[in-house]
C-alpha cells in the first residue's frame, strides 16, 4: 500500500466498490476531491454551477466558507460552513462557493456533465 497526497489527487468511488486515486478522473463513479482555496478564483466564486445527474456533498475541512444556492422559488439561500461541517446540494440546484478565509474544501459528486449557470 502506498500513501498518496489527498490534496493532489482525485479519489474515484466506483459502483462496484473499488476506490482509485490519481491525478486523472478517467473512470466512472463518484469523485471525491479535497483542495485548498486561497482566493475566489480557486473556487470559481463568480460562477454558478449545477449537477443535473446527482446531489453534491460540499464540506469545509479547515476554514470558513459560504455556499450559495439559488432556484426552486426561494431566491438565493446562503449556508455558512465552518471547519468540520458539510451540506448537500440537491441535484440540479445552482450553487457557488465564497471564501470567508483561506479554506480546505472537500467535494463529492458524479463526474460532468456539470453545467455552469
Amino acid at each position: 500500500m502506498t500513501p498518496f497526497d489527498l490534496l493532489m489527487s482525485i479519489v474515484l468511488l466506483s459502483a462496484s466498490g473499488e476506490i482509485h486515486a490519481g491525478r486523472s478522473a478517467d473512470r466512472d463513479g463518484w469523485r471525491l476531491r479535497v483542495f485548498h482555496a486561497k482566493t475566489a478564483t480557486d473556487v470559481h466564486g463568480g460562477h454558478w454551477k449545477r449537477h443535473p445527474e446527482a446531489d453534491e456533498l460540499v464540506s469545509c475541512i479547515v476554514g470558513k466558507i459560504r455556499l450559495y444556492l439559488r432556484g426552486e422559488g426561494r431566491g438565493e439561500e446562503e449556508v455558512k460552513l465552518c471547519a468540520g461541517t458539510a451540506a448537500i446540494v440537491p441535484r440540479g440546484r445552482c450553487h457557488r462557493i465564497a471564501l470567508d478565509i483561506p479554506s480546505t474544501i472537500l467535494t463529492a459528486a458524479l463526474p460532468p456533465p456539470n453545467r455552469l449557470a
Side-chain angles (χ1 to χ4, degrees):
M1 181 180 317
T2 304
F4 61 93
D5 185 343
L6 190 56
L7 292 171
M8 299 297 293
S9 302
I10 297 172
V11 177
L12 300 169
L13 310 168
S14 75
S16 65
E18 295 176 344
I19 299 174
H20 300 274
R23 295 205 170 154
S24 70
D26 60 350
R27 298 173 187 249
D28 290 333
W30 285 83
R31 291 182 184 176
L32 180 81
R33 225 178 113 223
V34 177
F35 61 96
H36 187 70
K38 293 180 183 177
T39 69
T41 302
D42 296 332
V43 292
H44 309 288
H47 299 281
W48 292 88
K49 69 177 191 174
R50 66 186 180 91
H51 303 270
E53 308 301 324
D55 298 343
E56 178 181 17
L57 174 73
V58 177
S59 178
C60 180
I61 303 299
V62 174
K64 288 167 65 172
I65 65 174
R66 285 169 281 129
L67 176 64
Y68 290 95
L69 298 106
R70 70 177 182 195
E72 295 193 353
R74 292 181 280 196
E76 192 171 288
E77 179 182 352
E78 178 186 74
V79 179
K80 294 179 181 182
L81 298 174
C82 60
T85 62
I88 298 171
V89 178
R91 80 179 64 209
R93 262 322 263 286
C94 290
H95 61 283
R96 66 182 178 86
I97 295 173
L99 299 175
D100 287 336
I101 60 175
S103 301
T104 302
I105 301 166
L106 176 144
T107 62
L110 283 175
N114 295 335
R115 307 271 197 275
L116 290 178

